[in-house]
Amino acid sequence: MPDLTLHGYWRSSAAWRVRIALALKGLPYATVAHDLRTGAQAAAAYRACNPQGLVPALDTGEGQEAPLTQSLAIIEWLEETQAQPALLPADPLGRARVRAMAQVIACDVHPLGNLRVLKALRGDLGADEAQVAAWLARWMGDGFAALETMVAQWGGAFAFGDAPGLADCCLVPQIYAARRFGVGLGAYPRLVAIDARCAGLAAFAMAHPAAQADADPS
């Protein structure tokens, strides 16, 4: 596989998903950091890589006009070009279920709590911190409740079955975000257990925000 370069930010949940996938597949990559707090992702040079001005973006090193964008699309590309270890089940029904679990987080939960939305709540709508906290708890809680049920149906040691995969790539960063914002996790014991199990794997430790070169000093 050509040399890979991941554009991201240490605490971005979406970039973190891709880091986990790269680590699970054992793929080396270079990194370029864009500090979301300073608006670095909005710079014209980066928008040439990602017209949305968001992270992540993955330069595949294959000479395309623009890198790949959107975390799930990037991970699907990794799955198609580096099949093992697989992040999706072999059977179509299982693959659809895992994609649905991943999208609960990536499409329905995470977008409502990312930095640009929280800035809009505070700045454009005048929400105070209690209102922001209630907003986060509502949408994370809805997503976690659905995932807890899905894991009860289809999970094993991990979100789906007994090997880490795409759903875990999305779940672990969202659990981190919940703890960061003080969202209670007591109603989701299966999700908490999966997060703890993932934390014991080297790939997840390598991808953790604290292990990134651009992370704030602890």
Side-chain angles (χ1 to χ4, degrees):
M1 179 174 283
D3 293 339
L4 302 174
T5 301
L6 178 65
H7 295 261
Y9 169 64
W10 66 285
R11 208 161 53 190
S12 161
S13 294
W16 187 354
R17 295 171 201 146
V18 177
R19 293 198 303 265
I20 295 170
L22 288 163
L24 285 170
K25 288 185 175 290
L27 295 173
Y29 61 97
T31 61
V32 178
H34 304 271
D35 193 331
L36 306 187
R37 296 166 298 187
T38 66
Q41 75 281 9
Y46 181 63
R47 282 189 178 272
C49 294
N50 185 345
Q52 280 190 288
L54 301 174
V55 296
L58 183 72
D59 185 340
T60 66
E62 295 182 343
Q64 290 102 328
E65 292 182 1
L68 301 176
T69 61
Q70 289 293 338
S71 61
L72 294 190
I74 293 169
I75 295 172
E76 291 269 6
W77 178 83
L78 292 172
E79 185 76 352
E80 291 174 2
T81 56
Q82 185 79 17
Q84 298 300 324
L87 302 181
L88 287 164
D91 64 293
L93 184 59
R95 295 168 79 87
R97 284 173 171 162
V98 170
R99 288 182 173 116
M101 296 170 83
Q103 288 174 23
V104 168
I105 295 295
C107 300
D108 296 333
V109 177
H110 169 253
L112 293 172
N114 69 14
L115 182 61
R116 61 179 179 161
V117 168
L118 298 184
K119 283 184 174 179
L121 287 174
R122 294 180 177 111
D124 298 346
L125 301 179
D128 61 27
E129 291 309 305
Q131 290 170 317
V132 170
W135 170 274
L136 289 166
R138 174 185 175 181
W139 299 117
M140 287 192 199
D142 283 357
F144 287 153
L147 278 174
E148 185 78 6
T149 299
M150 297 165 99
V151 169
Q153 293 174 310
W154 307 313
F158 295 93
F160 187 94
D162 293 320
L166 175 61
D168 305 287
C169 292
C170 295
L171 174 62
V172 167
Q174 196 63 50
I175 292 285
Y176 174 96
R179 290 187 173 121
R180 179 184 168 209
F181 290 111
V183 176
L185 296 171
Y188 321 111
R190 291 180 178 87
L191 304 187
V192 171
I194 290 166
D195 178 68
R197 196 166 291 116
C198 289
L201 300 180
F204 285 85
M206 291 168 55
H208 194 279
Q212 307 314 303
D214 60 318
D216 286 348
S218 57

